[in-house]
Amino acid sequence: MNQQETAALAEPNTALLRIIPKRVEVMGKRLQRFLQDGWDINGLAILQDDAHALARACAEQDLAEPAESLLIMAGLLDITIEQQELPDPTVGERLHNLMESLRAALPTMPDDVQEMFASRERIGGDNTGRAEIPPMAYWRLWGGDAPPAVAVRADGDARAHSQRHVAEEEKDPWSASAKHHGTPAPTPSIAQHTFKRSPEEMPQRTTPTTTASGMGMAFPSALAGGIPAKSNGASPVSPSLKKAAPVEAAPVAPDSLQLPVPSEFRIYHLTAHGALSVALDQCFEAQGLDVELVEDIDELKELLNALPADLAIVDAEFGADLEGLGLDVRGLRQKQGRKMRLVAFSDADDINLRLSARRAGVDALIVGAQTAADVIKRLRVLLEPGSDSPYRILIVEDDRSQALFAEGILRNNGMETLVVLDAMEVMPALEQFQPDLLLMDLNMPGANGIELTSLIREQEAFMHTPIVFLSGEHDEDRQFDAIDAGGDDFLSKPIRPRYLISAVQNRVRRHRAMENRQQKRVGKDSHTGLYEREDLLALINTHLQRGTDKKGGIFLLEMEGLTSLRERFGIAAFEQMQQEAVQVISQQAVDCPIGRFGDGTYLIYASQPDEAGLNAMAQQCRTSLVQHAFQVQGHPLRLRASVGVCSFRHSFHDSGAMLSAVEKVTREARTSERGVRQFEPPKTEDAAREAALLKQVREAISHHSLELLYQPVVAVAGSDDSQYQTLLRLRDANGRLLSAAEVIPMAERSDLIVDIDRWVLMQAVALIRDRRAEQRPMRLFVTQSPLTLADTSQAEWLRSELADNDVPGASLVIELRMEDASIHAATVRQFCDSLVSLGVQFCLSQFELNAETEGLLEQLPLGFVKLARKYSAGLQTQTTRDELKTLIDRAHRRGLEVIGTGVEDPQAAATLWMSGIDFIQGNLVQEADSGLDFDFQQAVL
C-alpha cells in the first residue's frame, strides 16, 4: 500500500465510504433489473439481506438519512417476503424512489480518497471511475457490426428518437428487438409492469451482473443501470446501447468449474490479481455468483462487518495477515451466527503458514494450485452438498437419565441423535440410522461395550465408524481393553458439555473427511472422465514394478498455443473446449486412463498394445484432434498438437523417470513434420559425448571461461545509439567454439540453465557499467531461457544486480523466443511485470505470423520484436512479403520496434527496408566477434 492509501485509510470511515456506495450501487442495479424484467424470489431475499446489513452499517457510522431509507426498504421487503407475494407496481415504485433518495443521501468521498480509488479502478480514458465485469460477449456491441450511437436530445424529443431506434434495431440482428422477430421491444417503465408472474413466466437470467472491482475492464455507468453520464463532452450513450441485451448467451461454466452452491452465494476475494486468481474469478462470474474483489485486508474486514459473506478467499500474497484476519472472522461467526468459510492460497508448503492458517480458523489452505480447476476441485469438497448435514450420533446407554443428558447436549448443538437403551438392539439401529459416530457406555446388561464393539467391527459397513466410550469406569486396564477392541476414544463421566461436543465433532469431522477423500480417489472423475494425476502415476508405477510386462506404454499429448485462446475466449469457454478435446481423445484411446497434466496437456496410459500399436494410437489421437472442427463462442477453430510416445520396454525404474522421458520427446515433436516423436534411449557414444560436454559446461561456469560474442543491431535510418546482440559460446576440448544451440538444450535438461543465464547477465551488466564509466553508453540484447524466468528468485536477483552495478534498466533488453513465450506466457508475464518499473525492456525473437501473434503482443510488455529468419531470406514469395508487412504494421501500431535478423545479402536488406523495418542484424552488417568497436554513426542503410 502506498503512502497516499495509508494516509487515506487512516481517516475514520474511509473504508466504509467506499464499501457502502459500492454495495448500494449493486442493489440499485439488481432492483432496476427486477423492475424491467420481472421479480425473482431469490433476488428479493438478497435485496432484503443487503438492506438490513447496510442499514446497520450506516447506523453504526451515524449516517442517519441513508440508514432510514435502507430500514424502510428492508421493511417493505420483509412484508413482501412474509406474505409470499412478489411486489406489485406500487411497491416497486416505492422501492425505486427509496433507492433514488438513498443514492442522493449517501456521503461523497473526500476528493483525495475518491481520486485514489478512481485511479485504481479507471481503465484507459474512461472517466466513470468504475470497473465492472460486463456479461460475456458484451463487447460485441462495440464492434464493427454494432448499430451507430444515436444522440438523445436534451429537450426530451423521445418520440422521433424512438422511431429511429426501432428502425435501427429491426435492421440489427444483434438487437433486443430482433430477438422478438421484428416486434419493437417497448421501453419499460415502472407503471407499465405487472410484477406478479407465475414461475413459468419469469424470464431466465443468462448473464448475471457481478461486481468485481479492479478486474481491469471499464464499464460505463450509463450501461450499468445508473444515470447516463457525459464523458469529456461526448454525446450521451444511446438508449439502444443502454438497454441492449447481451448479443450472445453467456458461456455456461462446465460442471467441473461450478461450485455446488445457490446463485445467491456471496464471495469476497482478497486478491493480488494474479493469473490464477483472475481465472478463478472468471469461473465464479460464469456461474453467476456474487463476487466482490478487494485489495486490502482492512477493507475486507470492514466489508465482512457490513455485509456477511458465505466464502472469503485470501491470495497467497496476504499470508502474513491471516492470523489478524482470523480473529475478526472468529468474532463475526459468533456475532452473525452464519457459517462463513475462509480459504487461503499458498505458493509453497510451509509449516509456519499452516500453523498461521490453523490459528486463523482457515477452513482450507490450498497449496501450489496451478489452475482454476484445481482450486474449484478443492472448494467443491469443502462446499459439497451434505457436508454441512447434521452429524448423526447413536447413543448406546442403559441409564435413561445419562442417555437423555448426552442427547440434550448434542441436539442443542445441531446434531441428530438416536438413543438405544437396550444393548441387544444396537445392530438393527446401526442399519437403520447409519450413524457418523457411536457414543457408548462400557458396562451394560446383556452385552458390554467391548463385546458390542467387536461385533460392530465385524460388519464391513461399520469397520471405520468412530466409537467413543462414555463411562464411569476408572480401571485403566479396562479402558485399554475397550480401546483395544476397536474403540477410538474413552471419555470419563462426569464430563463437561463442551468437552463432549468437542470430542464428538472432532471424530465425526475426521471420519467424513476420510470418507470423502476415499470416494474421490476411486477411478476417474465422473464430471470430466479424467484420472487424478496421483492415481494415473500409481497405475504406471504398478505396471513398471511387474517388470516382465513390456507391452504398452504412455504418450503425452500437448495442444499448442492455448494461452492466446484462453485470453481470447475466457476461462469458461476455454475449459469447455478442453472437455471436448478429452472426448475426442477418448474415442481413439478406448479404455485407456487419461490424466490432465496442465492446460492442454494430457497423459494417456495404454497397457495393452505393442509398440507399433502404441505409436499408431498416439498418431490417431493427434490426427483426430487436429482435424476436429471445434466451435468456440460461434467461431470455428482448429488446434495444433504434438505427441511424445514412450514404451514400457525401455525398463524405467519409476513413473517419474518415464514421465521426464516422454516430456522431452514431446518437446522435440513440436518441430517434427508428423508432430509425433518416439522415445529412444541415447546410444552409448551419444551419452558419453553429452556427459563430457556437461562436464565442460560445469567447469566453464565455475572458472568463468564461457565466452561472449557481440553483433551490432543497426538502425536503418541511422542512430548514435550503440546496441549489440550478446551471443553465448563454449570452447570445447579441441578449441572449437560451440554455439548456444549446441549447449542450451543440454543445460536445460541438466538443470544448469539458470547458472548459465545468470553468468551471461552478470557479464552483460558489468560491461554496460564499464562502458558508462567511459562515457560510452550501450544497450545489450541478452537471450534467456523460459526456465530461468520461471525461477521465482530470478527477477529479484536481476533487480539486485542492476542496483549493485548502478546500471539503468533501459540498458538491458531481455530476449525470449516466441515459441517459448507462447508455452510459458503466464510465467514470462509475471517476470516482465516485476521488472518493467526499472525500465528493463523485453524482446520477442523468431517472431512470425500465426494464431498466437496477436495474443502475445497483447499479453507481454514488449519493446522490440525480432523477425523469424524466413523473412530475411533473399528469395521470398509474395505470401511471405505480405506476412512481413502485416507483422511490421501490427508491431508499429503497438509502438514496438522491429528488428530483422540473419540478414546476409543486400536483397534481403532491401526487402526489409521497403517493408518498414527499424533495425538490421546479421553478417551483412558485421559478423559476431568479441569486439565492440562498430561505428554506429556511419552505419546508414
Side-chain angles (χ1 to χ4, degrees):
M1 186 183 300
N2 58 40
Q3 292 182 352
Q4 181 191 13
E5 291 175 338
T6 303
L9 290 174
E11 295 295 326
N13 299 339
T14 295
L16 275 174
L17 281 174
R18 181 187 183 191
I19 292 165
I20 293 175
K22 185 186 296 184
R23 296 309 307 180
V24 167
E25 187 64 29
V26 173
M27 288 179 64
K29 289 190 292 182
R30 183 174 284 128
L31 177 61
Q32 183 171 353
R33 185 172 63 249
F34 292 152
L35 292 175
Q36 292 181 352
D37 299 334
W39 292 95
D40 178 294
I41 190 64
N42 292 327
L44 268 178
I46 295 173
L47 277 178
Q48 179 193 32
D49 288 346
D50 287 0
H52 280 290
L54 288 175
R56 287 194 299 270
C58 289
E60 290 172 0
Q61 299 300 323
D62 297 326
L63 301 174
E65 193 172 348
E68 183 179 356
S69 296
L70 284 162
L71 282 173
I72 297 173
M73 184 180 297
L76 283 173
L77 294 168
D78 289 343
I79 295 171
T80 301
I81 290 177
E82 185 178 343
Q83 294 176 347
Q84 297 184 354
E85 291 183 354
L86 297 176
D88 59 25
T90 303
V91 173
E93 188 167 3
R94 287 193 64 191
L95 289 171
H96 172 77
N97 294 334
L98 282 168
M99 181 57 67
E100 292 301 314
S101 63
L102 175 59
R103 284 171 169 160
L106 283 173
T108 303
M109 287 188 287
D111 292 341
D112 56 340
V113 178
Q114 193 170 12
E115 176 57 31
M116 178 184 76
F117 291 125
S119 63
R120 179 186 294 177
E121 297 180 351
R122 187 180 301 128
I123 302 297
D126 175 46
N127 294 324
T128 63
R130 298 175 50 174
E132 304 283 351
I133 294 299
M136 294 289 186
Y138 172 83
W139 296 105
R140 179 72 177 270
L141 290 171
W142 301 93
D145 56 355
V150 181
V152 181
R153 288 181 53 185
D155 59 5
D157 186 9
R159 183 172 182 180
H161 160 72
S162 177
Q163 293 171 351
R164 290 193 302 271
H165 170 51
V166 169
E168 289 164 1
E169 285 197 333
E170 288 174 345
K171 297 175 184 177
D172 177 24
W174 301 104
S175 70
S177 297
K179 305 292 183 184
H180 292 81
H181 309 285
T183 304
T187 303
S189 67
I190 294 173
Q192 291 173 340
H193 274 287
T194 302
F195 294 96
K196 292 185 179 181
R197 301 187 187 180
S198 65
E200 293 77 10
E201 294 172 318
M202 294 296 289
Q204 299 298 313
R205 290 173 55 193
T206 56
T207 54
T209 303
T210 303
T211 301
S213 57
M215 283 292 292
M217 273 194 185
F219 190 38
S221 59
L223 299 166
I227 300 171
K230 294 184 179 181
S231 177
N232 297 332
S235 299
V237 179
S238 165
S240 65
L241 293 180
K242 176 180 176 182
K243 298 185 303 175
V247 296
E248 300 172 15
V252 179
D255 289 343
S256 60
L257 289 179
Q258 290 196 12
L259 297 181
V261 297
S263 59
E264 62 268 21
F265 192 83
R266 180 176 291 137
I267 302 171
Y268 295 156
H269 188 173
L270 180 58
T271 178
H273 300 297
L276 175 62
S277 294
V278 171
L280 183 63
D281 295 330
Q282 289 175 346
C283 291
F284 294 154
E285 290 154 14
Q287 188 178 343
L289 302 180
D290 187 358
V291 187
E292 182 79 33
L293 304 186
V294 292
E295 302 169 354
D296 179 84
I297 191 74
D298 293 326
E299 182 186 346
L300 177 61
K301 292 177 182 178
E302 291 282 3
L303 192 54
L304 288 170
N305 271 290
L307 202 62
D310 298 289
L311 173 65
I313 300 175
V314 180
D315 277 4
E317 289 79 357
F318 302 93
D321 300 317
L322 268 182
E323 287 195 53
L325 176 62
L327 292 174
D328 284 64
V329 169
R330 192 174 295 113
L332 286 170
R333 283 171 173 168
Q334 295 173 354
K335 172 184 174 183
Q336 297 169 350
R338 180 180 181 134
K339 176 60 175 175
M340 186 200 75
R341 293 170 177 84
L342 181 60
V343 173
F345 294 159
S346 175
D347 295 328
D349 199 350
D350 177 72
I351 184 64
N352 293 320
L353 182 60
R354 284 192 177 275
L355 284 172
S356 295
R358 180 65 181 170
R359 292 164 184 159
V362 169
D363 296 284
L365 180 66
I366 300 177
V367 179
Q370 299 296 316
T371 66
D374 294 339
V375 177
I376 289 179
K377 188 178 296 181
R378 288 290 307 276
L379 293 178
R380 287 177 68 91
V381 174
L382 181 66
L383 304 170
E384 197 71 46
S387 61
D388 283 342
S389 61
Y391 295 170
R392 297 183 304 279
I393 313 301
L394 181 62
I395 302 171
V396 185
E397 170 66 75
D398 64 312
D399 187 328
R400 186 177 185 83
S401 62
Q402 292 288 339
L404 293 176
F405 168 76
E407 182 186 34
I409 292 172
L410 299 179
R411 276 190 177 276
N412 287 339
N413 279 271
M415 304 183 205
E416 292 182 3
T417 60
L418 177 65
V419 174
V420 175
L421 299 175
D422 186 349
M424 306 308 292
E425 297 178 1
V426 168
M427 302 309 292
L430 276 173
E431 295 290 343
Q432 176 190 352
F433 189 57
Q434 294 291 314
D436 292 305
L437 178 142
L438 282 87
L439 188 64
M440 188 184 299
D441 190 15
L442 185 58
N443 300 308
M444 294 179 292
N448 62 42
I450 296 175
E451 294 170 333
L452 281 178
T453 299
S454 299
L455 292 176
I456 291 169
R457 292 306 186 210
E458 290 175 359
Q459 306 294 316
E460 186 175 352
F462 305 106
M463 187 179 297
H464 302 292
T465 302
I467 298 176
V468 175
F469 290 99
L470 179 60
S471 175
E473 179 63 65
H474 297 292
D475 184 341
E476 292 184 359
D477 290 337
R478 184 83 167 152
Q479 292 179 6
F480 176 78
D481 290 341
I483 299 298
D484 189 51
D488 293 278
D489 204 351
F490 196 100
L491 306 177
S492 296
K493 297 178 183 177
I495 186 172
R496 293 184 179 180
R498 59 177 296 192
Y499 293 161
L500 176 61
I501 294 166
S502 178
V504 169
Q505 287 181 335
N506 182 48
R507 286 289 177 186
V508 175
R509 191 181 300 116
R510 289 169 57 189
H511 176 59
R512 285 193 175 185
M514 289 178 63
E515 280 192 331
N516 289 337
R517 190 170 301 172
Q518 289 173 355
Q519 290 172 4
K520 296 202 176 284
R521 290 188 60 82
V522 175
K524 59 186 179 181
D525 187 282
S526 59
H527 294 290
T528 64
L530 298 175
Y531 279 69
E532 291 285 348
R533 178 184 302 212
E534 293 80 5
D535 295 337
L536 190 55
L537 293 180
L539 288 174
I540 297 171
N541 273 326
T542 302
H543 194 117
L544 292 172
Q545 288 166 7
R546 288 199 293 265
T548 56
D549 191 356
K550 301 298 183 182
K551 287 196 309 180
I554 62 174
F555 57 95
L556 190 68
L557 190 149
E558 181 181 73
M559 294 184 284
E560 302 173 23
L562 292 188
T563 302
S564 58
L565 293 177
R566 177 173 168 173
E567 291 292 323
R568 179 181 176 189
F569 295 114
I571 184 67
F574 179 77
E575 288 294 332
Q576 282 183 323
M577 182 191 69
Q578 291 208 87
Q579 285 196 8
E580 187 176 348
V582 170
Q583 294 173 2
V584 174
I585 298 169
S586 301
Q587 290 170 2
Q588 304 301 324
V590 180
D591 295 330
C592 294
I594 303 172
R596 182 170 171 175
F597 274 62
D599 283 343
T601 304
Y602 298 93
L603 183 68
I604 297 92
Y605 164 56
S607 60
Q608 296 304 315
D610 57 19
E611 190 165 16
L614 180 67
N615 289 327
M617 181 185 293
Q619 181 67 60
Q620 188 58 44
C621 283
R622 179 187 180 275
T623 302
S624 299
L625 191 65
V626 299
Q627 292 180 354
H628 184 76
F630 290 88
Q631 288 285 330
V632 183
Q633 294 181 0
H635 300 280
L637 187 68
R638 301 275 184 177
L639 294 177
R640 294 177 295 154
S642 51
V643 183
V645 185
C646 192
S647 170
F648 283 122
R649 73 176 177 86
H650 297 302
S651 302
F652 292 94
H653 61 276
D654 63 18
S655 61
M658 196 171 188
L659 190 59
S660 297
V662 77
E663 186 179 13
K664 175 179 177 292
V665 294
T666 304
R667 288 198 302 266
E668 295 171 354
R670 297 173 195 158
T671 58
S672 169
E673 184 176 349
R674 293 173 60 244
V676 178
R677 183 67 63 88
Q678 181 180 353
F679 172 79
E680 290 293 342
K683 297 178 181 178
T684 306
E685 57 271 23
D686 293 338
R689 188 181 305 112
E690 181 163 318
L693 180 59
L694 181 60
K695 181 181 178 182
Q696 281 184 283
V697 172
R698 293 185 189 277
E699 292 176 351
I701 294 173
S702 60
H703 294 96
H704 295 279
S705 58
L706 289 167
E707 298 184 23
L708 293 178
L709 300 181
Y710 306 93
Q711 189 170 46
V713 180
V714 180
V716 296
S719 172
D720 294 341
D721 295 337
S722 297
Q723 51 187 14
Y724 293 88
Q725 174 71 49
T726 305
L727 303 170
L728 176 70
R729 298 290 184 266
L730 171 69
R731 196 171 298 277
D732 66 9
N734 299 321
R736 184 173 69 92
L737 277 180
L738 303 180
S739 68
E742 298 174 89
V743 176
I744 295 301
M746 182 272 302
E748 290 181 336
R749 292 194 298 270
S750 307
D751 295 329
L752 282 175
I753 190 61
V754 175
D755 293 332
I756 290 178
D757 280 346
R758 287 192 176 182
W759 184 88
V760 173
L761 280 173
M762 287 172 61
Q763 306 306 311
V765 170
L767 180 59
I768 294 171
R769 177 199 62 204
D770 295 342
R771 295 270 293 198
R772 283 171 54 82
E774 298 170 2
Q775 303 299 315
R776 294 191 298 165
M778 66 184 304
R779 176 189 293 141
L780 289 181
F781 288 75
V782 181
T783 302
Q784 295 280 277
S785 165
L787 301 182
T788 300
L789 304 189
D791 189 301
T792 54
S793 63
Q794 181 67 9
E796 190 57 38
W797 175 86
L798 182 54
R799 181 185 293 271
S800 175
E801 195 71 18
L802 293 171
D804 292 345
N805 289 275
D806 194 24
V807 168
S811 301
L812 190 65
V813 181
I814 302 296
E815 187 174 316
L816 188 72
R817 296 190 315 149
M818 180 176 176
E819 182 182 5
D820 291 336
S822 175
I823 297 169
H824 304 275
T827 304
V828 172
R829 176 59 187 264
Q830 187 175 359
F831 175 86
C832 295
D833 287 346
S834 62
L835 291 172
V836 163
S837 61
L838 296 182
V840 176
Q841 300 187 73
F842 301 92
C843 175
L844 210 57
S845 65
Q846 298 184 15
F847 191 67
E848 59 181 317
L849 190 65
N850 59 35
E852 302 165 21
T853 303
E854 200 66 28
L856 287 173
L857 291 179
E858 290 179 357
Q859 262 190 298
L860 302 177
L862 301 171
F864 302 88
V865 290
K866 283 189 176 181
L867 299 176
R869 285 181 176 264
K870 70 177 184 179
Y871 300 116
S872 303
L875 297 175
Q876 295 184 358
T877 64
Q878 184 60 45
T879 301
T880 307
R881 287 194 291 270
D882 291 342
E883 276 187 23
L884 176 61
K885 292 180 181 178
T886 301
L887 270 179
I888 294 175
D889 181 57
R890 287 188 182 182
H892 283 168
R893 286 205 307 268
R894 294 184 176 274
L896 307 181
E897 297 186 286
V898 186
I899 304 170
T901 59
V903 182
E904 303 285 344
D905 59 76
Q907 182 180 351
T911 301
L912 291 169
W913 181 81
M914 288 187 294
S915 299
I917 202 79
D918 299 296
F919 297 96
I920 293 287
Q921 177 192 338
N923 292 341
L924 177 66
V925 179
Q926 179 176 291
E927 293 187 7
D929 60 28
S930 57
L932 293 164
D933 54 359
F934 185 81
D935 189 353
F936 285 88
Q937 294 181 352
Q938 300 300 320
V940 179
L941 300 179

